[in-house]
Amino acid sequence: MDPEEDWLVESLRLYEDFYAFDLSGATRVLEWIDDKGVFVAGYESLKKNEILHLKLPLRLSVKENKGLFPERDFKVRHGGFSDRSIFDLKHVPHTRLLVTSGLPGCYLQVWQVAEDSDVIKAVSTIGVHEKEESLWPRVAVFTSMAPRVLHGARLRSLQVVDLESRKTTYTSDVSDSEELSSLQVLDADTFAFCCASGQLGLVDTRQKWAPLENRSPGPGSGGERWCAEVGSRGQGPGPSIASLGSDGRLCLLDPRDLCHPVSSVQCPVSIPSPDPELLRVTWAPSLKNCLAISGFDGTVQVYDATSWNGTQSQVEPLFTHRGHVFLDGNGMDPAPLVTTHTWHPCRPRTLLSATNDASLHVWDWVDLCAPC
Amino acid sequence: MPEIRVTPLGAGQDVGRSCILVSIAGKNVMLDCGMHMGFNDDRRFPDFSYITQNGRLTDFLDCVIISHFHLDHCGALPYFSEMVGYDGPIYMTHPTQAICPILLEDYRKIAVDKKGEANFFTSQMIKDCMKKVVAVHLHQTVQVDDELEIKAYYAGHVLGAAMFQIKVGSESVVYTGDYNMTPDRHLGAAWIDKCRPNLLITESTYATTIRDSKRCRERDFLKKVHETVERGGKVLIPVFALGRAQELCILLETFWERMNLKVPIYFSTGLTEKANHYYKLFIPWTNQKIRKTFVQRNMFEFKHIKAFDRAFADNPGPMVVFATPGMLHAGQSLQIFRKWAGNEKNMVIMPGYCVQGTVGHKILSGQRKLEMEGRQVLEVKMQVEYMSFSAHADAKGIMQLVGQAEPESVLLVHGEAKKMEFLKQKIEQELRRQPGGRRGAHLGSMEATWAEAFSSWGPGVSCYMPANGETVTLPTSPSIPVGISLGLLKREMAQGLLPEAKKPRLLHGTLIMKDSNFRLVSSEQALKELGLAEHQLRFTCRVHLHDTRKEQEMALRVYSHLKSVLKDHCVQHLPDGSVTVESILIQAAAPSEDPGTKVLLVSWTYQDEELGSFLTSLLKKGLPQAPS
């Protein structure tokens, strides 16, 4: 019996739709541009990496008469080359610009996606004050009439820079050397940060640096690494911040009280995570209280946090995507590791996931627990 | 400079109507002769007027090569050979030769019988066209004539599909046709050796895609079939006799076995025998797995798939039926379709492209009400699914092939150059990554120098994207190996100057071309080999001088003068009165008319031309006054 065949047969029941692609290079980036395209970028060192703008297969984008569209392939709409590894990529909404961050060299690269050809060209750089060999600044973009780029590798080097004038419009102005693991823009004036130690904060840029944060050393006192994501306002009542640790702990917090998590669960994952920098937790844009986590192995797990309360020892995922293990890994050594995942902005149960062996899956899972 | 010229024929940028003209070292080859399936008029044929305005195609073209049996690669062949007029050889692989006429006939029937077209090729024309076919085996070098040779390579994609290498002397072009770099259930992956052609010609259509895996497409097919039969519906799958049908049958059989399903699967009568026959003939063309299976059992004796009977279509309950023809334009598949179309529980799965005018094409365009014979209107309530199983190489696949063949340049057809700058850069990067090709003439130790010289002339562009009708001219640097005789090399070395890798060095010799051999030897050796006597050229010049002395005295004075001036040369005064400088002879003579004028006869050989000219001018200036 072929485990790959077995899994494919199982998958008939588990997924509405399932697509598997082989990129020419592994990506750690999956950034949406409208709801029809994504950007991916390579992160290998000592090699020319590609940044690609991929248009989703027609079968995934059309709303009606899906059956009449046989196209199941990604179309490379634009491409560009980067000499550096790219660890983060953000699209500047309403423009044709991209901002990337990577190594070596501590600076941000700004790219332009051409209109009349398929080229993504490097156009300028944004300097960064912290010059550290191994740390790369996290990036987020404020959308407005004049887009601003939020970046920083450590708390003390957090800055907001106006993209056009390159003037610094905001700085953290602290001496805290805490390493940042994620930055997220929430609206025109506020952003959230998460430090590798687990320290979380919400910042209003209209005021001098005075974040709402959990000052305590945080749950990460055992040397774990943390990341976090804030859900959108349309989440409904309940906690909207999720924080994931490399020891498999997932905490849900309410922005009004960052010091006391609403719930804290232990996810059934293989620990320690082989590369805690790859940890990722995301909120589903269209499903209430649903989260996805990845970065521990070759799987992506989806959880329903509706009934979570207080501290729970064990929870079970609503769904686990094992495609990367069976289709690409297939018993080969070393097993693949998911580098990133993202939810489709409109289709409720569709996700994209990528691994370190250059595979990219698009999957639409079936909610087996839902009433028929 | 010798060059290779490539012109994709026809207008429009869409896929379909593959037809490429290649001129290589004076030979003209036409690659594929496809039909554009989207048009009903002359636009569906390639524009053959590009080939030659006057003069017969047979005289102009050395051969035609067809890569595989898909109509967008061979659909215009009978029109081209019988209606436009071509009597030369048409090369293709054996499976292509066997399957082409079947598809052409099917297509002809649809065009003429269904659509009532007038100016279309006839069945006889298809037969006459196929008589001009010369079938080839994989990896067999075929001599088209003294200079032109071709070789087919496995391309995957469909049964019998091949990539072709076209070679004249040291120049070659590889045309990929349609190919696939990942093996599937019944075909292997394309493969080519490191043949290093000057040019690789391939499709650009799929170069900008990233293909969904075959497994996922198959999964989608199984899911649709399974869901339909689970709810009690019937599934109709219209297929051609060969190709897709067998693949899908194997897939369903495996699935049915694993899931222990009891729903009947039927296969149109006649399909099994034909398919069996063809697949047996072409075992070397299928992949390892199939070959092994054939050995174990007859692959078309399925446990769960039975022969279909017309009456079964009316049976209640779920079932799956594979029926011909593939585009629902006539026959059994259309009959079944009419019976099942009204029930929304049922499904029809179209596994391929349908030509305009067929029912298949109409329903794939979204039409839900069809006008049938006798003005009857058929309402289509059944689900319509369009699936694509064709295996094409995508961006990654093209890079893999470029890496295997190591061409100097790549040419992409059917693409819009302006929109493909990134792809062009990507390919050029891959080309540059490869070890330097054979550029320039090999001349022993001078190879490095020549290579450098050529590369500085070389074209900046290595990836071409011509529009249809546009000719790309590729300068080539054919390598002509010339052997230098050891004696000649030794003589050069004896001159004392050491060879320098970066500096070109001028070498004189005689080039002997015998059979296809080139040798550079010294003149003496050449003369010896050819049994020729060497001619000596001697020049003589008369220098008139005003001098009243006697000849002997003059000669002496000439000698002393030259001795003092030409200190580096051997100047001698011979007993007979003449003076020699190296091999140059100077004699004094007195013309009888004027005792005041003396004549110096200066004579030298061709080899001493320079010195001879110098002496002559020197002597013309006159002799210095003698000391008294």
Side-chain angles (χ1 to χ4, degrees):
Chain A
M1 288 283 112
D2 184 356
E4 191 179 319
E5 291 261 344
D6 284 340
W7 186 83
L8 273 172
V9 171
E10 258 300 284
S11 80
L12 291 177
R13 185 177 61 92
L14 297 173
Y15 300 85
E16 264 314 317
D17 241 338
F18 176 55
Y19 301 72
F21 303 93
D22 246 331
L23 297 173
S24 51
T27 183
R28 271 171 65 157
V29 160
L30 277 173
E31 169 82 347
W32 287 93
I33 174 168
D34 55 60
D35 58 351
K36 295 205 167 65
V38 283
F39 285 98
V40 295
Y43 60 91
E44 286 184 67
S45 42
L46 304 173
K47 179 186 142 158
K48 256 199 161 37
N49 288 293
E50 288 178 1
I51 302 180
L52 301 175
H53 169 204
L54 304 176
K55 281 211 83 160
L56 252 56
L58 269 180
R59 215 159 222 236
L60 270 176
S61 342
V62 297
K63 308 256 177 342
E64 292 172 352
N65 285 331
K66 249 179 56 163
L68 300 182
F69 294 88
E71 294 90 349
R72 295 178 60 96
D73 306 328
F74 270 117
K75 189 111 175 97
V76 178
R77 182 68 191 83
H78 294 97
F81 295 102
S82 166
D83 289 322
R84 304 199 299 158
S85 306
I86 296 179
F87 297 127
D88 200 0
L89 185 153
K90 291 286 187 298
H91 171 236
V92 182
H94 314 301
T95 71
R96 304 190 72 89
L97 300 172
L98 306 173
V99 181
T100 64
S101 175
L103 290 173
C106 215
Y107 61 89
L108 302 180
Q109 181 73 57
V110 181
W111 306 78
Q112 173 139 44
V113 180
E115 202 157 347
D116 56 352
S117 82
D118 65 343
V119 167
I120 299 178
K121 207 170 55 164
V123 289
S124 60
T125 58
I126 296 176
V128 150
H129 287 208
E130 196 85 43
K131 302 268 187 263
E132 260 180 272
E133 292 307 309
S134 58
L135 282 191
W136 49 277
R138 272 48 181 171
V139 186
V141 177
F142 279 98
T143 325
S144 55
M145 289 294 284
R148 292 161 288 149
V149 178
L150 166 68
H151 64 87
R154 295 188 188 278
L155 267 182
R156 65 175 176 225
S157 54
L158 257 184
Q159 278 190 359
V160 179
V161 171
D162 181 285
L163 192 54
E164 187 155 339
S165 66
R166 297 303 160 90
K167 281 215 188 98
T168 306
T169 60
Y170 190 84
T171 56
S172 62
D173 217 9
V174 290
S175 55
D176 201 335
S177 65
E178 281 267 14
E179 190 191 321
L180 286 168
S181 77
S182 56
L183 285 176
Q184 189 180 351
V185 159
L186 302 177
D187 58 38
D189 306 298
T190 52
F191 69 88
F193 67 80
C194 176
C195 297
S197 63
Q199 190 179 338
L200 291 167
L202 298 171
V203 181
D204 188 327
T205 58
R206 290 168 296 193
Q207 305 167 0
K208 216 170 101 75
W209 181 263
L212 294 168
E213 58 188 317
N214 52 351
R215 275 244 168 249
S216 56
S221 40
E224 294 89 27
R225 197 190 161 93
W226 291 80
C227 69
E229 178 162 293
V230 180
S232 55
R233 292 288 153 80
Q235 270 309 110
S240 60
I241 303 180
S243 181
L244 177 68
S246 56
D247 59 354
R249 241 172 331 140
L250 183 53
C251 300
L252 296 187
L253 302 105
D254 191 308
R256 293 165 297 186
D257 183 1
L258 290 175
C259 296
H260 302 103
V262 171
S263 55
S264 169
V265 301
Q266 180 66 41
C267 299
V269 286
S270 51
I271 46 174
S273 153
D275 189 351
E277 243 196 54
L278 295 179
L279 287 184
R280 198 156 153 74
V281 58
T282 55
W283 286 95
S286 326
L287 294 175
K288 262 215 273 231
N289 297 323
C290 272
L291 302 139
I293 67 168
S294 70
F296 290 94
D297 52 27
T299 69
V300 180
Q301 297 177 343
V302 180
Y303 290 91
D304 182 350
T306 316
S307 55
W308 293 1
N309 217 338
T311 309
Q312 276 162 268
S313 46
Q314 283 285 347
V315 283
E316 281 306 310
L318 188 54
F319 186 83
T320 305
H321 174 61
R322 294 194 168 86
H324 294 290
V325 177
F326 284 98
L327 284 193
D328 317 316
N330 216 359
M332 287 203 305
D333 220 20
L337 180 59
V338 173
T339 53
T340 185
H341 73 264
T342 186
W343 292 81
H344 191 286
C346 323
R347 294 165 56 112
R349 277 174 305 280
T350 301
L351 285 100
L352 277 67
S353 54
T355 59
N356 58 352
D357 61 1
S359 77
L360 175 63
H361 288 185
V362 183
W363 39 285
D364 186 354
W365 53 280
V366 171
D367 190 353
L368 297 165
C369 307
C372 282
Chain B
M1 285 302 283
E3 54 192 28
I4 294 177
R5 286 196 309 275
V6 180
T7 313
L9 298 180
Q13 296 289 13
D14 351 337
V15 190
R17 197 180 34 201
S18 291
C19 186
I20 301 163
L21 190 62
V22 174
S23 268
I24 172 171
K27 301 288 171 184
N28 298 305
V29 177
M30 189 162 96
L31 301 169
D32 278 340
C33 191
M35 178 88 83
H36 193 304
M37 313 296 275
F39 293 114
N40 270 334
D41 49 31
D42 280 348
R43 285 174 296 175
R44 64 181 152 199
F45 299 127
D47 190 350
F48 296 120
S49 65
Y50 269 105
I51 304 180
T52 170
Q53 297 294 347
N54 39 27
R56 300 189 331 122
L57 285 173
T58 312
D59 295 333
F60 179 78
L61 284 175
D62 292 281
C63 72
V64 172
I65 297 175
I66 302 292
S67 61
H68 63 288
F69 62 65
H70 276 160
L71 287 175
D72 56 345
H73 289 258
C74 73
L77 194 59
Y79 166 79
F80 169 72
S81 72
E82 306 311 303
M83 293 169 83
V84 176
Y86 170 75
D87 299 313
I90 301 174
Y91 292 95
M92 58 181 76
T93 60
H94 289 272
T96 312
Q97 182 189 32
I99 299 171
C100 240
I102 302 173
L103 287 182
L104 287 169
E105 180 56 33
D106 266 358
Y107 181 53
R108 193 205 64 77
K109 274 205 208 117
I110 298 174
V112 175
D113 304 345
K114 286 265 104 198
K115 297 197 281 169
E117 289 200 34
N119 199 26
F120 211 81
F121 50 81
T122 62
S123 297
Q124 186 57 43
M125 285 180 187
I126 296 174
K127 292 196 181 93
D128 291 337
C129 170
M130 296 309 288
K131 286 194 193 124
K132 299 168 184 172
V133 169
V134 178
V136 302
H137 292 286
L138 282 179
H139 307 159
Q140 168 198 12
T141 301
V142 174
Q143 292 290 142
V144 176
D145 61 34
D146 287 341
E147 293 159 304
L148 174 63
E149 59 184 49
I150 63 172
K151 180 155 58 161
Y153 288 93
Y154 191 81
H157 184 59
V158 289
L159 194 66
M163 306 187 288
F164 280 89
Q165 180 194 38
I166 298 121
K167 202 159 157 178
V168 182
S170 64
E171 284 176 47
S172 67
V173 167
V174 168
Y175 171 59
T176 65
D178 283 344
Y179 65 105
N180 182 37
M181 297 303 284
T182 48
D184 64 29
R185 266 170 221 278
H186 76 308
L187 289 173
W191 177 85
I192 195 164
D193 51 17
K194 210 191 295 202
C195 54
R196 298 239 188 126
N198 296 79
L199 184 66
L200 178 77
I201 302 175
T202 189
E203 275 284 334
S204 64
T205 325
Y206 304 100
T208 51
T209 61
I210 299 183
R211 304 273 296 171
D212 180 26
S213 75
K214 196 72 189 285
R215 295 296 212 164
C216 289
R217 288 169 207 276
E218 290 177 346
R219 180 199 167 273
D220 200 25
F221 170 72
L222 286 175
K223 190 162 163 55
K224 296 290 183 319
V225 172
H226 190 221
E227 277 172 357
T228 307
V229 299
E230 283 273 278
R231 64 167 180 252
K234 299 172 162 63
V235 183
L236 170 65
I237 308 169
V239 285
F240 289 104
L242 303 148
R244 209 55 67 203
Q246 284 70 35
E247 214 188 318
L248 297 177
C249 279
I250 299 169
L251 192 54
L252 278 188
E253 167 93 351
T254 319
F255 184 59
W256 250 240
E257 179 74 23
R258 181 189 285 275
M259 302 292 285
N260 201 18
L261 296 172
K262 303 289 178 227
V263 171
I265 310 177
Y266 300 112
F267 203 55
S268 245
T269 42
L271 268 177
T272 324
E273 293 100 62
K274 247 196 224 154
N276 238 343
H277 168 70
Y278 281 109
Y279 272 80
K280 273 205 189 117
L281 275 183
F282 301 121
I283 286 257
W285 286 84
T286 62
N287 69 14
Q288 279 289 95
K289 269 204 223 149
I290 296 286
R291 255 174 273 164
K292 278 203 208 125
T293 320
F294 242 107
V295 172
Q296 289 165 20
R297 63 166 176 93
N298 181 335
M299 81 186 228
F300 293 109
E301 266 165 28
F302 294 114
K303 218 168 100 179
H304 302 273
I305 307 182
K306 305 272 179 287
F308 187 65
D309 185 294
R310 247 203 306 186
F312 295 171
D314 298 315
N315 287 359
M319 72 175 80
V320 181
V321 177
F322 288 90
T324 56
M327 299 187 194
L328 284 182
H329 53 279
Q332 198 168 65
S333 60
L334 185 59
Q335 254 179 29
I336 301 170
F337 174 76
R338 291 170 81 147
K339 284 193 196 226
W340 296 356
N343 189 338
E344 64 244 349
K345 274 204 226 165
N346 297 338
M347 178 184 281
V348 61
I349 297 179
M350 307 297 297
Y353 183 88
C354 293
V355 169
Q356 245 192 20
T358 57
V359 170
H361 189 267
K362 292 192 178 124
I363 59 174
L364 288 181
S365 317
Q367 255 189 277
R368 305 300 278 177
K369 285 193 163 68
L370 303 170
E371 203 183 283
M372 311 299 278
E373 285 105 48
R375 294 180 151 256
Q376 273 193 313
V377 172
L378 180 68
E379 224 186 297
V380 181
K381 292 205 184 127
M382 78 195 302
Q383 266 189 267
V384 178
E385 280 282 332
Y386 188 1
M387 295 201 177
S388 158
F389 294 98
S390 67
H392 285 272
D394 60 5
K396 195 165 177 184
I398 293 188
M399 292 302 140
Q400 280 176 301
L401 192 75
V402 170
Q404 270 185 27
E406 288 193 12
E408 268 175 34
S409 304
V410 173
L411 189 141
L412 300 171
V413 288
H414 292 138
E416 279 181 73
K418 225 176 56 138
K419 300 240 174 96
M420 299 172 93
E421 187 56 41
F422 169 67
L423 175 66
K424 181 161 168 301
Q425 282 173 23
K426 203 168 139 138
I427 292 179
E428 287 180 349
Q429 249 182 57
E430 177 62 32
L431 292 172
R432 261 178 259 137
R433 201 184 58 79
Q434 291 161 6
R438 352 152 245 109
R439 286 179 190 251
H442 295 285
L443 284 172
S445 65
M446 299 197 200
E447 184 183 323
T449 317
W450 281 102
E452 229 185 271
F454 271 96
S455 63
S456 66
W457 305 352
V461 177
S462 296
C463 179
Y464 302 89
M465 295 175 179
N468 283 337
E470 186 189 328
T471 301
V472 162
T473 305
L474 206 82
T476 60
S477 32
S479 76
I480 306 167
V482 176
I484 306 182
S485 79
L486 198 56
L488 190 61
L489 271 178
K490 275 188 178 163
R491 200 208 298 186
E492 282 299 313
M493 299 286 284
Q495 300 231 343
L497 302 163
L498 286 170
E500 265 182 89
K502 301 253 178 212
K503 284 200 184 152
R505 173 101 161 254
L506 199 57
L507 189 71
H508 283 283
T510 307
L511 185 68
I512 302 184
M513 299 188 281
K514 198 169 171 191
D515 303 320
S516 331
N517 227 323
F518 294 83
R519 274 185 312 130
L520 197 66
V521 300
S522 65
S523 316
E524 296 81 12
Q525 187 174 343
L527 288 164
K528 197 163 127 198
E529 278 186 32
L530 297 167
L532 294 171
E534 187 173 359
H535 285 70
Q536 287 286 335
L537 279 174
R538 253 198 119 72
F539 299 93
T540 310
C541 189
R542 289 164 172 264
V543 179
H544 291 260
L545 288 176
H546 192 70
D547 203 308
T548 47
R549 284 165 293 203
K550 288 219 167 85
E551 296 94 275
Q552 296 94 317
E553 226 185 292
M554 242 207 99
L556 191 58
R557 281 187 58 210
V558 167
Y559 168 69
S560 358
H561 175 52
L562 290 181
K563 187 104 177 140
S564 67
V565 175
L566 299 172
K567 294 199 170 60
D568 294 328
H569 294 269
C570 175
V571 185
Q572 288 181 303
H573 191 195
L574 299 180
D576 68 357
S578 51
V579 177
T580 62
V581 179
E582 308 285 343
S583 73
I584 300 170
L585 184 65
I586 305 167
Q587 289 170 314
S592 50
E593 312 87 44
D594 183 4
T597 311
K598 297 291 176 296
V599 174
L600 290 177
L601 294 164
V602 189
S603 111
W604 62 90
T605 61
Y606 170 70
Q607 280 82 353
D608 286 323
E609 166 72 45
E610 217 179 299
L611 188 55
S613 303
F614 170 70
L615 275 180
T616 314
S617 354
L618 178 66
L619 292 171
K620 274 188 180 154
K621 288 189 190 138
L623 295 170
Q625 285 300 324
S628 39

